[in-house]
Amino acid sequence: MTDVLRRGRGSLAFSFLVQGVAFALLVTRIPAIQDRYGVSDALLPAFLAAVPILAGVGSVSTERLVRRVPPSRLLRWSQPVVLLALLGVGAGERMVELGVALAVFGLAVGVLDASMNMLGVSLQRSYGRSIMLSFHAAYSLGGIVGASLAWAGAHWDLALWVSYLPVVAVLLPAVLVGSRWYVDDRDAAPAAEGKAAGEGQAVAFKWLLPLCLVMTVAYIGDSTVSNWSAKYLKDVLGSSEQMATVPYNVYMVTTLLGRAIGDLGVRRFGAVAVVRGGALVAAGGFAVVAGAPGAWVGMLGFTLLGLGLCVLVPQTFAAAGRLFPGASDAAVARLNVFNYVGFLIGSPLVGVLGDLWSYRGAMVVPMVLVLVTLVYARSFATQPDRYGGGHERPRTADVGRGSNGL
């Protein structure tokens, strides 16, 4: 393993961590943002929905941009834009300024998410073993750090810009320095050799569709926890308001732990087994939440959800890279759009079902959707049988130790 690849892996992991910090600082301070700009409850969903919609636009645009600009360069400049847009959210005074800042944040996040995962897929191919989960573990760690910083800002009643400015001042120069060591496919000979087998390959959506469905389901589950765990614990299971804040933190910690050891599981048992196991654990978590007699059992359910859902997204990106080795950048960019689709569906889905039916019943729906992942688990095989275009694929190097061919 060359020093170039090691430095590339370290710098990319840091980029994932910074993105986790930035996103957590935004979403955990939504009430403070609403108060600062006087955004009504009726108008708030429109502002929140605009971010993932524009992020989807940014991700689609990235697919076209990488034909001319390497992903490392897109990541190098999109991440500072995200940080500056975050600062703009905290420093503005009028609603139009909030709208502009969130629009810039959304577009830049789409480019950032897509380019980060493009580089992660190509680095995993160069390493010849599963490392994708480690990048997403860094993101989870960043989310914990960002949520903790947001809690401190709220606890000390700091203005938003006062909370955001020191973070941006530290992280902005750090990511610019770290970006010097990003590694593109062209920088790593093993990746270039692997890519040559499918050079010029087209991304056929019918072959990518199973992974898109899994990505959507994973983010429906994730957004259910992030948006409804506190309300569910307090209103349905009768916990205190203080205890109701705990499930999401527990979920983030178990997500971090699961991703930290997940690559070892992929190397030992193969991606298919890990994805199946994750889907079953996540479904079990939703079942425990739906049937919980009290808050502590509900907490156990959210713990299981973190351990189960955490493996699905990183392995979905990795599977897209294996399925389309000659067009992995385009596959990742298209797949990344369904990240935002799941986010947009998840929160209103549970809310509507909770109001029309019951919140316990609403938790059964994402449980069933997660189980759908089992139907498509073979799409995560380290050596799928076919190219996206339907042609037989030359065999490529295993990424995991286990063999899970169709």
Side-chain angles (χ1 to χ4, degrees):
M1 197 59 58
T2 68
D3 289 339
V4 170
L5 291 180
R6 291 193 185 95
R7 287 194 296 267
R9 182 179 180 181
S11 62
L12 184 59
F14 181 68
S15 183
F16 270 87
L17 184 145
V18 171
Q19 173 59 356
V21 172
F23 194 74
L25 281 171
L26 178 70
V27 298
T28 56
R29 298 305 307 273
I30 286 173
I33 294 170
Q34 186 178 8
D35 291 342
R36 178 178 179 84
Y37 291 94
V39 180
S40 67
D41 289 340
L43 190 57
L44 182 62
F47 277 93
L48 298 181
V51 174
I53 290 172
L54 289 170
V57 173
S59 186
V60 171
S61 301
T62 302
E63 179 186 348
R64 298 182 178 276
L65 288 171
V66 293
R67 298 171 187 173
R68 299 177 178 272
V69 182
S72 61
R73 191 174 302 169
L74 293 176
L75 177 56
R76 178 176 296 125
W77 297 114
S78 61
Q79 190 145 50
V81 172
V82 168
L83 291 171
L84 292 173
L86 176 68
L87 183 58
V89 169
E93 296 181 354
R94 295 179 298 171
M95 200 174 297
V96 65
E97 294 171 347
L98 173 64
V100 171
L102 287 177
V104 173
F105 186 93
L107 287 169
V109 159
V111 177
L112 173 62
D113 285 348
S115 57
M116 276 199 311
N117 284 290
M118 288 173 186
L119 293 181
V121 166
S122 65
L123 268 174
Q124 175 166 284
R125 186 163 51 233
S126 300
Y127 264 73
R129 65 176 189 270
S130 178
I131 61 171
M132 197 67 183
L133 277 155
S134 66
F135 295 127
H136 287 260
Y139 178 89
S140 298
L141 177 60
I144 294 171
V145 172
S148 300
L149 292 172
W151 177 89
H155 179 73
W156 294 103
D157 199 24
L158 300 176
L160 280 172
W161 72 270
V162 175
S163 297
Y164 291 166
L165 181 59
V167 178
V168 174
V170 171
L171 295 182
L172 183 58
V175 295
L176 288 173
V177 172
S179 68
R180 297 172 55 194
W181 294 288
Y182 293 152
V183 177
D184 284 300
D185 269 357
R186 69 185 65 178
D187 301 319
E193 292 169 4
K195 190 171 181 177
E199 195 66 45
Q201 178 186 9
V203 178
F205 187 71
K206 68 176 181 179
W207 291 97
L208 190 64
L209 181 59
L211 299 179
C212 295
L213 293 174
V214 173
M215 179 71 79
T216 302
V217 165
Y219 273 98
I220 288 175
D222 182 82
S223 64
T224 298
V225 178
S226 60
N227 288 291
W228 295 102
S229 58
K231 180 177 177 62
Y232 188 85
L233 218 70
K234 184 175 182 295
D235 294 352
V236 179
L237 301 183
S239 77
S240 66
E241 187 170 345
Q242 183 176 2
M243 188 177 183
T245 65
V246 176
Y248 184 68
N249 287 332
V250 171
Y251 172 77
M252 290 299 296
V253 170
T254 52
T255 295
L256 171 61
L257 293 175
R259 287 173 171 175
I261 63 174
D263 283 318
L264 296 177
V266 174
R267 296 169 198 166
R268 177 65 180 85
F269 302 108
V272 172
V274 168
V275 168
R276 283 175 175 160
L280 289 172
V281 171
F286 275 119
V288 171
V289 169
W296 287 105
V297 178
M299 200 88 70
L300 172 62
F302 287 113
T303 301
L304 293 173
L305 281 171
L307 291 172
L309 290 175
C310 70
V311 301
L312 298 184
V313 171
Q315 285 306 304
T316 304
F317 281 121
R322 290 192 296 270
L323 187 61
F324 301 99
S328 61
D329 289 348
V332 167
R334 295 184 191 183
L335 181 61
N336 188 58
V337 173
F338 290 84
N339 160 353
Y340 313 116
V341 172
F343 188 85
L344 283 170
I345 292 174
S347 181
L349 175 68
V350 172
V352 169
L353 290 174
D355 291 338
L356 296 178
W357 183 18
S358 74
Y359 281 99
R360 287 187 183 273
M363 291 295 169
V364 175
V365 175
M367 179 193 77
V368 174
L369 292 176
V370 167
L371 288 174
V372 172
T373 300
L374 298 176
V375 178
Y376 300 110
R378 289 188 176 184
S379 299
F380 293 82
T382 55
Q383 294 188 16
D385 283 345
R386 292 181 178 273
Y387 276 123
H391 304 293
E392 295 295 326
R393 168 184 289 192
R395 292 179 63 84
T396 56
D398 272 332
V399 176
R401 181 178 170 184
S403 176
N404 290 288
L406 296 182

